Amino acid sequence: MNFTRWSARLPGTQRRAARDDRSPVPAARAECAQADTGSGPPGGHPDGPGNRSTGPTLEGLSARDILGRLPALVALVHGPDHRITYVNDAYTAAFGPRPLDAPAAEAMPELTELSLLPLMDQVLRSGTPRTVKSRKAGSGNSYTVTCTPVRHEKDKGHEGGVLVYAADVTDHAEAAERLRTSESRHRKTAVTLQRSLLPQELEQPDDLRIAATYQPGGTDAAVGGDWYDVITLGAGRTALVIGDVMGRGVRAAAVMGQLRTAVRAYARLDLPPHEVLQLLDGLAAEIDASQIATCAYAVHDPNEGLLVYSSAGHLPILVRDEDGTVHRAEGPTGPPLGTGGWIHTSGTIALPPGSTAVLYTDGLVERRSEDIDEGVASLERALSGAKGAPQVVCDRLMRSLNITAEHDDDVAVLVVQHPARTGATAELFHNASLDLLGGIEAAPRARAFATGVLTSWRFPMELCELGVLAAGELVANSLQHGTPPMRLALRRTDRRLIIEVTDGDDHLPRRRRAEPGDEAGRGISIVASIATSWGSRRTPGGGKAVWCEFALPQ
């Protein structure tokens, strides 16, 4: 059988034979010797065109000798049942001797282990070579195998065959497996770190219903720095945070954890959203100037029905009204955190009862094949028809945007609902307020007002007395240290009683230890002692608000 056609396909056959003067093939040595005895060209130059030595021709080489000396495993089979015609020494050393003319399915079990028999059938039928990479045999070795069709050139009716050429790639396969294991371990570490830095359980404010979803990128993508958070600020107000650190791996997750911790610390100061981002911007540059992060920070106040927000390079917040209309927060957006030199500002968007707000990272809407604005528009369409509980809305948005386990980017979604309450549920939520006019006579009016309101809300007598005492102390503090306009506000939810006094002075009170002879300085200490919590903040108009909360008996 003439092996000329397929022997030329063996890697390096012709190249090695042409340049190896020590060829073990006798015909090749003889031809080289004959070439060396020729006379030189005129002038005696050894390299003249008339005396240039030529290598052995391919037709003069013995295919059996070549195949026998190859380090790769070679087997030749013929016919539809792949009867064995030839195996070289490397194949015999790897799998043992094989009987000639025996069917490969019976005499070569290694081909079954490597799942090669169906491939050989396909090669024999189609006449097209096929290669499979890194197949593992029962011995534990891995092979890359090429199956090449072999046809008899003289006898067109002769049965065709298949040349099986297998290179041992065990070392490469083991190195690749070690690399995959290492990458998997690093990814698992990063994902574990990422998830441990995210809230393990979301805070659920009285007035909002909240759910969140985080999904790391697919197994081939390094974990990113997406995060979200929900922070109760007191007096019924809630901070909502979504952010994304630009980068991958453990470093991005670590930076994310530092930023999230800083946001929670700054939120406790009860600052306006743009001031929180201003502080965060400076911190981000100190943590790692090479890591750029985006962030949106919003505060919900149930008394106003608004989201006050500020954005540092982040995607716009979306709000869906009860009728399905979707609004996009169009307020000013500053550059990402860590860039510096920018004065952030705050904007507002309505969040009335029955509405739903969605905060998200770019992994939800960004695709390589389309502009990100198209992705946001797709999210708006999906949100317009998304109804149900917050977690249901999260899941529907993920499905609508085709976010699967193989998605190549991290995704974080925060869904916030302001439920519309009716019937018995609505009876658990009440508001009452009184403008404080006049001088010191406003204090007894405030106490009388608080007594009547708390009694009408059917609170226990002890809680009524504590609430009236706290309201009196806060009003007295405002009358003494504040400026008009002043207002007392009482609010109840299904879980707590909130008492808040606002005035026009922006100096925040602080708790201090009063000396035995002092006639003042005990009001805030009394409130802090009897209330579940208390706090103060500056209001947008330039004044301040001082509040306290009492947890209701369940």
Side-chain angles (χ1 to χ4, degrees):
M1 183 175 291
N2 190 345
F3 297 121
T4 300
R5 293 184 62 196
W6 53 262
S7 62
R9 299 178 183 178
L10 299 179
T13 301
Q14 188 173 8
R15 184 170 60 253
R16 286 198 300 269
R19 68 172 179 237
D20 192 353
D21 293 340
R22 296 174 297 174
S23 171
V25 183
R29 289 200 303 270
E31 189 172 349
C32 290
Q34 183 178 1
D36 291 339
T37 60
S39 60
H45 196 286
D47 293 331
N51 194 41
R52 182 170 297 166
S53 61
T54 59
T57 62
L58 187 62
E59 287 75 6
L61 299 177
S62 167
R64 180 179 291 273
D65 193 45
I66 293 174
L67 298 179
R69 293 176 178 272
L70 285 177
L73 284 62
V74 179
L76 181 65
V77 299
H78 73 280
D81 53 354
H82 307 300
R83 293 186 175 273
I84 304 172
T85 300
Y86 169 80
V87 293
N88 70 348
D89 294 342
Y91 196 104
T92 301
F95 297 115
R98 295 292 180 260
L100 299 182
D101 206 38
E106 300 175 3
M108 305 177 82
E110 61 276 3
L111 298 185
T112 302
E113 295 172 355
L114 296 170
S115 302
L116 291 179
L117 292 177
L119 183 69
M120 293 164 62
D121 291 337
Q122 183 181 359
V123 169
L124 188 62
R125 288 193 305 268
S126 66
T128 303
R130 296 291 301 275
T131 299
V132 293
K133 296 182 178 180
S134 195
R135 293 281 180 90
K136 181 173 286 190
S139 62
N141 287 18
S142 297
Y143 299 92
T144 291
V145 185
T146 298
C147 296
T148 305
V150 178
R151 301 291 183 187
H152 199 283
E153 294 182 350
K154 295 181 179 179
D155 186 1
K156 300 301 182 183
H158 193 278
E159 292 181 334
V162 177
L163 179 73
V164 180
Y165 181 90
D168 192 329
V169 293
T170 303
D171 292 341
H172 296 281
E174 290 177 350
E177 182 62 28
R178 288 194 296 270
L179 180 60
R180 283 193 297 269
T181 301
S182 176
E183 291 177 346
S184 176
R185 183 169 58 251
H186 287 302
R187 173 179 167 77
K188 184 177 180 180
T189 300
V191 171
T192 301
L193 174 62
Q194 173 90 343
R195 291 193 181 279
S196 66
L197 294 175
L198 291 174
Q200 302 305 302
E201 184 176 352
L202 287 177
E203 298 182 30
Q204 293 293 336
D206 298 356
D207 295 272
L208 302 176
R209 298 293 177 264
I210 301 177
T213 295
Y214 169 74
Q215 179 175 301
T219 55
D220 293 335
V223 69
D226 296 21
W227 95 91
Y228 55 83
D229 210 347
V230 178
I231 309 165
T232 54
L233 302 177
R237 302 167 71 250
T238 306
L240 309 167
V241 193
I242 192 84
D244 186 2
V245 176
M246 304 302 176
R248 296 286 182 177
V250 175
R251 180 59 184 166
V255 172
M256 177 274 289
Q258 295 178 75
L259 292 178
R260 176 176 174 257
T261 301
V263 169
R264 294 191 70 87
Y266 296 149
R268 299 303 178 192
L269 301 176
D270 216 339
L271 300 172
H274 64 275
E275 293 189 23
V276 171
L277 291 191
Q278 205 71 51
L279 293 172
L280 205 60
D281 180 62
L283 180 66
E286 295 177 6
I287 292 175
D288 190 340
S290 65
Q291 293 279 1
I292 303 299
T294 65
C295 181
Y297 181 91
V299 175
H300 174 255
D301 190 331
N303 296 317
E304 300 175 356
L306 295 174
L307 272 181
V308 182
Y309 67 91
S310 185
S311 175
H314 206 78
L315 293 167
I317 300 171
L318 301 181
V319 175
R320 177 190 183 275
D321 290 340
E322 196 168 12
D323 62 359
T325 304
V326 176
H327 305 278
R328 184 185 299 192
E330 300 290 355
T333 298
L337 299 174
T339 55
W342 183 266
I343 304 300
H344 291 275
T345 57
S346 295
T348 61
I349 186 170
L351 189 68
S355 60
T356 300
V358 177
L359 295 79
Y360 52 96
T361 57
D362 59 0
L364 182 65
V365 296
E366 189 174 28
R367 303 291 182 272
R368 292 188 177 93
S369 59
E370 64 182 21
D371 188 81
I372 195 169
D373 286 335
E374 297 178 12
V376 176
S378 298
L379 177 60
E380 289 179 336
R381 291 191 293 270
L383 178 59
S384 65
K387 299 180 180 180
Q391 190 59 57
V392 173
V393 174
C394 270
D395 297 340
R396 288 182 177 177
L397 295 181
M398 297 284 280
R399 288 195 302 269
S400 298
L401 275 295
N402 298 317
I403 305 300
T404 64
E406 290 75 30
H407 190 61
D408 61 356
D409 196 4
D410 291 37
V411 177
V413 182
L414 185 65
V415 174
V416 181
Q417 287 185 348
H418 186 188
R421 296 180 174 86
T422 58
T425 304
E427 290 298 317
L428 299 177
F429 291 79
H430 290 287
N431 290 277
S433 61
L434 174 68
D435 290 328
L436 301 175
L437 304 175
I440 58 173
E441 66 274 10
R445 286 203 305 269
R447 287 193 292 270
F449 173 78
T451 301
V453 170
L454 298 182
T455 302
S456 68
W457 288 348
R458 300 178 181 178
F459 285 144
M461 182 59 67
E462 180 181 0
L463 181 57
C464 287
E465 293 175 352
L466 292 176
V468 171
L469 175 60
E473 293 297 337
L474 293 180
V475 169
N477 182 79
S478 182
L479 290 172
Q480 182 174 357
H481 301 287
T483 59
M486 303 178 185
R487 170 176 290 220
L488 168 65
L490 304 177
R491 186 166 185 271
R492 71 153 295 171
T493 69
D494 58 343
R495 302 183 219 175
R496 71 197 78 231
L497 165 66
I498 302 168
I499 303 173
E500 184 174 71
V501 175
T502 59
D503 63 55
D505 185 80
D506 62 357
H507 291 86
L508 300 181
R510 58 186 179 87
R511 187 178 180 181
R512 63 186 180 89
R513 183 184 298 276
E515 298 298 331
D518 292 344
E519 297 182 358
R522 295 180 174 82
I524 295 300
S525 295
I526 292 174
V527 171
S529 300
I530 63 176
T532 305
S533 60
W534 79 281
S536 62
R537 71 179 187 281
R538 290 186 174 90
T539 55
K544 68 174 179 295
V546 186
W547 55 268
C548 67
E549 294 181 348
F550 293 87
L552 301 184
Q554 298 298 319

